[in-house]
Amino acid sequence: MSLFRHDLSRIPPYVPGKPGGDPSVIKLSSNEMAYGPLPSVQAVIAQGIGSLHMYPDMYASELSAKLAAFHGVPADSIVPSNGSVAMIEKILTAVCSPGSEVIIAWRSFEAYPIAITVAGGTAVTVPLTPEGGHDLDAMADAVSARTAAVMVCSPNNPTGVALTHGELSRFLTRVGDDVLVVLDEAYVDFVRMVDPVRSVDLLANHPNLIILRTFSKAYSLAGLRVGYAIARPEVAATLRAVATPFGVNALAQSAAIAALDEVDEVRMRTDFVTAERMRVAAELDELGLLVPDSQANFVWLEMADTQPFVDAAARCGITVRAFPGDGVRVSVGSTAANERILSAARLYTAR
Ligand SMILES: *Cc1c(COP(=O)(O)O)cnc(C)c1O
């Protein structure tokens, strides 16, 4: 006898990056920033500890107002959440009924199939293009009367490939307004390309769009768990209604507010990471390893047999994230960490 819904046994395991332990090993398996939280943000967190006996602001109003000003949208367009993954779960739970399908590119973020199954839906996977990007035509073709939502991840985790504004707006026009489209932009701060997606502009013509952002990556706050949705006010109202009460903790709210005062510093950090990403990708390319055009803080090495690369990485003192059968994802870190990536790649190609 099972106490839970039988379909939950289909949930694929989420494999977190290996936890640290050996301080000489650099963890490049979870796309975390090499830098800690900004000093001013750390100070705000330290100050907030004394008030932890109080519930946080239920709707994170100050943070929402600040994010609204930052994005040039009304304050009621912003819905903060306990990390953006919690928002993904809430959205999918709110749209799925038995028989619902959710279209995703594959391979993409491994949290999607889990959240879809928990919500009672079925994931419809559309293979990535050979270049590692979303096949938006095939995804639009997959939309049917059963479709509850389409997840779009740009830049895509784990390949790093990003959509252009033109590609995404054509897709949204083709899909129409009746199907929810969730655009996960966790890595948007690392995009340096021609015609980047201007997602907030798309809300004007596409009321079915929800944009997801997070403080976990560029803002170095993965451990605090804070993300948010940007949507038209009528959509945002439903997201607020289904939110976990007091879901965004007090320290996360004040840290995120403080982090938004440091956008120049954050930009310097992402500039460094993107420059390093380009350098690492170019060198990997020279070694003959297949690296798609990453617009994120990681690179993707396509290979069916991942173990030799994982072993080479371990010998060079880094942990990477293997997706056996598909490839290996490596976060771009400090200069020292990136040298280890290149050493591992040389060891791997020379074997
Ligand atoms: C890291 C990541 C997130 C961020 O999740 P949080 O819950 O905000 O930490 C969201 N989407 C993708 C694709 C990611 O890789």
Side-chain angles (χ1 to χ4, degrees), residues 35-94:
Y35 313 92
L38 290 156
S40 58
V41 174
Q42 295 195 28
V44 166
I45 294 168
Q47 268 168 28
I49 291 174
S51 307
L52 283 179
H53 56 304
M54 309 291 285
Y55 276 104
D57 173 353
M58 169 118 158
Y59 293 113
S61 333
E62 191 184 343
L63 175 58
S64 301
K66 195 138 184 168
L67 284 167
F70 182 71
H71 290 294
V73 298
D76 57 357
S77 282
I78 303 282
V79 188
S81 58
N82 178 34
S84 51
V85 170
M87 182 58 85
I88 292 169
E89 292 171 347
K90 285 291 183 182
I91 293 168
L92 293 173
T93 307

Side-chain angles (χ1 to χ4, degrees), residues 83-86 109 112 153 157 184 186-187 214 216-217 225-227:
S84 51
V85 170
F109 189 26
Y112 300 156
C153 187
N157 176 1
D184 185 346
Y187 301 97
T214 179
S216 294
K217 307 286 157 56
R225 318 299 307 124
V226 53

